[in-house]
Amino acid sequence: MRGMPRVQQGARPHPSPRARAPRGWVIPALLIALPLLPYAQAPADLVVLNGKVVTVDPSSRIAGALAVRDGVFVAVGKDTDITPFIGARTRVIRAGGRTVVPGLIESHVHALGVAEGEAFQPYVSLQDIPSLQAWVRRRAATTPDGGWIWTPRTFPPRLSERRFPTRGELDAAAPEHPVVVDGAYALAVNSAALRAAGITPATPNPAGGVIVRDAAGEPTGLLRNVGALLSRFETRTGKDGPPLEWLARVHQSYAAVGITSIVERAASVEGYRAYEQLHAQSRLRLRAVVTLLVQSDGTEDGTEQFLRTVPAGFRAGDDQLKGGALKVFADGGILSGTAFMRQPWGEAAAALYGLANPDDRGFLTLSPDKMLAIVRTAHRHGWQACAHVTGDAGVDAVLDAFEAANREAPIRPRRFTLIHADFANAAAARRAAALGVIVDTQPAWYYKDGDVLAEVLGEARVRTLIGLREWVNGGVRVVLNSDHMFGLDPNTSLNPFNPFLTMYVAVTRRSERGRVIGPEQAITRDEALRMMTIDAAYLTFDETRKGSIEVGKLGDLVVLSDDLLTVPAEQIRDIVPETTVVGGRVVYERSR
Ligand SMILES: [Zn+2]
């Protein structure tokens, strides 16, 4: 369907005339064939010798060597099978027994946002309220009077105080400048920000959001899901899309951890254009599939209108860049207490997130009828739909919409996807599996936040947080990724995008503090690798093009410092790539 012609399966360096030639002709045939041999098989562009090649093919074959020519694998086998492919200009990687895996597919990142963020205000991870205040003070010293200050994204569970800073604490850091602490679905602001935005005790709550107030009705400075009230003051993002050199730099930081393909998970049409430009300038070195965030009023007409703004040819693309799914947001998040839950968030969560009522269950940000209107319209036009949905009640609501769309025409071929689906459960798994729905989820959230959430929600509810085994047992295909949003460091970014940390957490079920909550949810190394290669390729309809090391597939691979399959489990997160290759071209090499 797409792009390049497939190379003949099982292409061999030595076409063997002997096999078919009658006995008496063996020697003459060889005499004729020998001088022709160098021309019979063009040399490869790149070969890897003496490796432990974990192919991730259907039989989980381990090979020793491989060759890539014109961007695709042309041979996979033993060293002796591959050496005939070496020509004068062939790049030869002698792996020295090291493990080689298919190029890793990071199926959920926000590289566009990272690029914009880094260009404007490099991300720092702030660990406590005094550091946050110090950051605000420094910023205020260089910001003109009245200029807005937006902090790096900071979630209360990741602050040592386990709460948002108060309005008073922010006033102390910046009495004159409006300050916004960016907690994604919840914001903490100071008095100057309330004044500048005109938020008073008389201001009504906007639809779907809450201006949190004290007993006297005075806004406390905590704003839940009211981003729209402040978006006109947002200074962080450039209006012209991210600087392309920053986007390329973000991609390079992915290549350095073994990522060869990404899914950009919530782009605007302008964001997609940025990728097109990078591609046109031959600076797109990773493969990218772009998910578009639906901009619609939640009606079928509004959704059709949006679809008409999508560039022609968006979904065609090529092996380097193509358009993918349509995304909607169904609820909030687990780090702001806005995920829509079956059970109330409870007392401890109310304190952590500043909820007025412990019976709060979070909320849907898109009503069921709007969700259905968008999903059914996408389906009718042949799109893959995916929904950001974190809470278990949110998942129930999205599955309702998916089932309704499925009654009109089967959605299985569209590979609809639940994004996050943080609390795995058997009922949801059964429904998802019946529809062929995929789960796109992030072990890093369990790693970073499982400890605090266990205190807040109780251990029982956290046992299934990123409950991979539950989904797998239910027959659901799962893809692992990071939801990377800010920063360039693979381990300290938000969220850490080191795929070996992701696989480490999936396999060990260990949190950042070393706890194991719900050990029964751990998966095997082989499963984790599949979820970041062949299953992730399936997510974007690319399973015949990439995701495994097989003849005819795209020549994407990573040579690893240690053996992912046998290294002690605690060391999986320390694995680093020696070499990352996309389409036979080296895009990263570790310096020694
Ligand atoms: Zn995301």
Side-chain angles (χ1 to χ4, degrees):
M1 288 249 293
R2 260 182 307 278
M4 303 163 64
R6 301 221 21 197
V7 168
Q8 194 83 52
Q9 285 283 336
R12 282 281 147 83
H14 293 286
S16 171
R18 198 155 38 152
R20 266 164 289 130
R23 218 181 136 80
W25 289 88
V26 167
I27 288 173
L30 269 181
L31 284 176
I32 294 161
L34 274 174
L36 293 175
L37 265 179
Y39 310 101
Q41 187 72 42
D45 300 314
L46 176 140
V47 305
V48 176
L49 299 175
N50 190 22
K52 174 180 175 182
V53 179
V54 181
T55 63
V56 191
D57 75 0
S59 65
S60 297
R61 174 162 83 119
I62 306 287
L66 58 86
V68 182
R69 186 175 60 224
D70 298 331
V72 298
F73 294 114
V74 288
V76 181
K78 307 187 295 289
D79 278 10
T80 49
D81 301 324
I82 302 302
T83 43
F85 282 92
I86 299 174
R89 279 194 283 276
T90 303
R91 168 86 190 247
V92 179
I93 297 175
R94 294 176 201 283
R98 288 201 172 83
T99 297
V100 180
V101 297
L104 300 174
I105 301 174
E106 163 51 91
S107 47
H108 187 151
V109 294
H110 301 280
L112 289 163
V114 177
E116 280 188 17
E118 291 300 302
F120 177 74
Q121 174 175 292
Y123 173 75
V124 283
S125 168
L126 298 166
Q127 312 281 337
D128 51 34
I129 289 170
S131 328
L132 188 64
Q133 289 175 304
W135 187 94
V136 168
R137 273 191 203 98
R138 278 197 304 278
R139 198 80 191 173
T142 59
T143 303
D145 277 357
W148 284 73
I149 296 172
W150 291 72
T151 71
R153 180 155 299 174
T154 301
F155 294 116
R158 295 187 189 174
L159 288 171
S160 62
E161 293 85 356
R162 312 264 178 78
R163 60 173 175 81
F164 267 123
T166 63
R167 177 176 157 184
E169 286 165 336
L170 295 176
D171 288 346
E176 307 298 337
H177 297 80
V179 175
V180 182
V181 177
D182 172 10
Y185 309 101
L187 309 172
V189 303
N190 67 351
S191 301
L194 290 174
R195 270 197 307 276
I199 298 172
T200 69
T203 308
N205 287 330
V210 179
I211 299 166
V212 178
R213 299 158 211 262
D214 64 17
E218 186 68 27
T220 63
L222 185 60
L223 306 173
R224 301 169 56 73
N225 209 44
V226 298
L229 287 182
L230 296 184
S231 57
R232 67 185 190 278
F233 304 112
E234 190 152 354
T235 51
R236 293 170 306 170
T237 51
K239 297 282 176 276
D240 310 317
L244 294 188
E245 62 272 24
W246 277 102
L247 187 56
R249 210 180 294 188
V250 178
H251 294 165
Q252 191 54 39
S253 60
Y254 295 155
V257 291
I259 294 165
T260 58
S261 288
I262 55 172
V263 179
E264 179 73 48
R265 213 47 162 145
S268 60
V269 168
E270 292 72 41
Y272 171 70
R273 294 290 192 202
Y275 271 88
E276 270 191 335
Q277 282 179 42
L278 206 61
H279 189 20
Q281 297 172 12
S282 303
R283 292 157 75 197
L284 181 57
R285 303 184 83 194
L286 304 186
R287 305 184 194 282
V289 181
V290 177
T291 297
L292 278 188
L293 185 59
V294 177
Q295 307 286 345
S296 159
D297 59 1
T299 64
E300 299 198 12
D301 282 351
T303 308
E304 302 248 354
Q305 233 170 53
F306 170 74
L307 291 179
R308 284 194 288 274
T309 70
V310 177
F314 174 81
R315 281 184 285 173
D318 57 30
D319 288 321
Q320 207 70 31
L321 172 65
K322 65 172 185 171
L326 285 184
K327 179 175 181 179
V328 296
F329 273 80
D331 72 348
I334 55 173
L335 299 188
S336 49
T338 50
F340 184 41
M341 304 290 279
R342 290 177 184 166
Q343 305 297 321
W345 276 94
E347 293 283 353
L352 175 66
Y353 300 123
L355 308 179
N357 179 359
D359 292 332
D360 197 320
R361 292 170 52 213
F363 42 81
L364 290 176
T365 52
L366 194 60
S367 67
D369 54 322
K370 288 182 175 176
M371 199 168 351
L372 178 57
I374 295 173
V375 164
R376 139 199 291 164
T377 309
H379 185 30
R380 198 167 54 235
H381 289 268
W383 287 82
Q384 179 183 31
C386 57
H388 161 108
V389 59
T390 55
D392 45 11
V395 166
D396 296 341
V398 172
L399 287 171
D400 287 344
F402 284 2
E403 281 171 356
N406 187 63
R407 281 192 286 275
E408 291 166 15
I411 64 168
R412 180 173 288 278
R414 303 258 195 271
R415 305 184 186 180
F416 281 10
T417 308
L418 300 169
I419 297 177
H420 306 302
D422 289 324
F423 299 89
N425 63 87
R430 207 162 39 241
R431 295 176 72 191
L435 297 167
V437 164
I438 302 168
V439 166
D440 149 353
T441 199
Q442 299 79 33
W445 296 89
Y446 167 86
Y447 179 72
K448 297 293 291 183
D449 307 308
D451 295 311
V452 172
L453 288 173
E455 290 169 23
V456 166
L457 291 174
E459 254 188 63
R461 288 172 78 179
V462 175
R463 290 186 84 86
T464 55
L465 178 66
I466 320 296
L468 301 178
R469 181 56 67 199
E470 188 78 49
W471 295 121
V472 171
N473 282 353
V476 178
R477 193 183 303 257
V478 177
V479 297
L480 302 183
N481 49 53
S482 68
D483 195 8
H484 176 220
M485 299 178 225
F486 296 99
L488 291 177
D489 183 279
N491 295 307
T492 61
S493 285
L494 197 163
N495 288 296
F497 58 87
N498 174 1
F500 299 95
L501 177 66
T502 294
M503 289 190 274
Y504 161 80
V505 177
V507 166
T508 63
R509 189 82 188 157
R510 220 167 264 291
S511 71
E512 195 166 23
R513 290 189 214 155
R515 287 186 66 197
V516 177
I517 308 160
E520 64 281 359
Q521 295 300 335
I523 58 170
T524 68
R525 298 172 194 225
D526 182 64
E527 286 172 315
L529 180 60
R530 284 179 178 275
M531 290 175 184
M532 296 205 78
T533 54
I534 192 70
D535 292 338
Y538 179 90
L539 176 78
T540 57
F541 299 88
D542 290 317
E543 70 274 17
T544 63
R545 293 297 293 151
K546 61 189 186 187
S548 61
I549 296 176
E550 293 180 80
V551 169
K553 279 190 155 183
L554 295 168
D556 304 349
L557 61 97
V558 199
V559 182
L560 304 180
S561 61
D562 289 289
D563 188 353
L564 175 65
L565 299 186
T566 60
V567 77
E570 273 307 306
Q571 291 168 27
I572 293 175
R573 60 180 157 180
D574 302 325
I575 294 174
V576 291
E578 299 287 342
T579 312
T580 306
V581 173
V582 177
R585 178 172 172 220
V586 173
V587 294
Y588 167 79
E589 258 183 303
R590 188 181 174 195
S591 53
R592 299 183 161 276

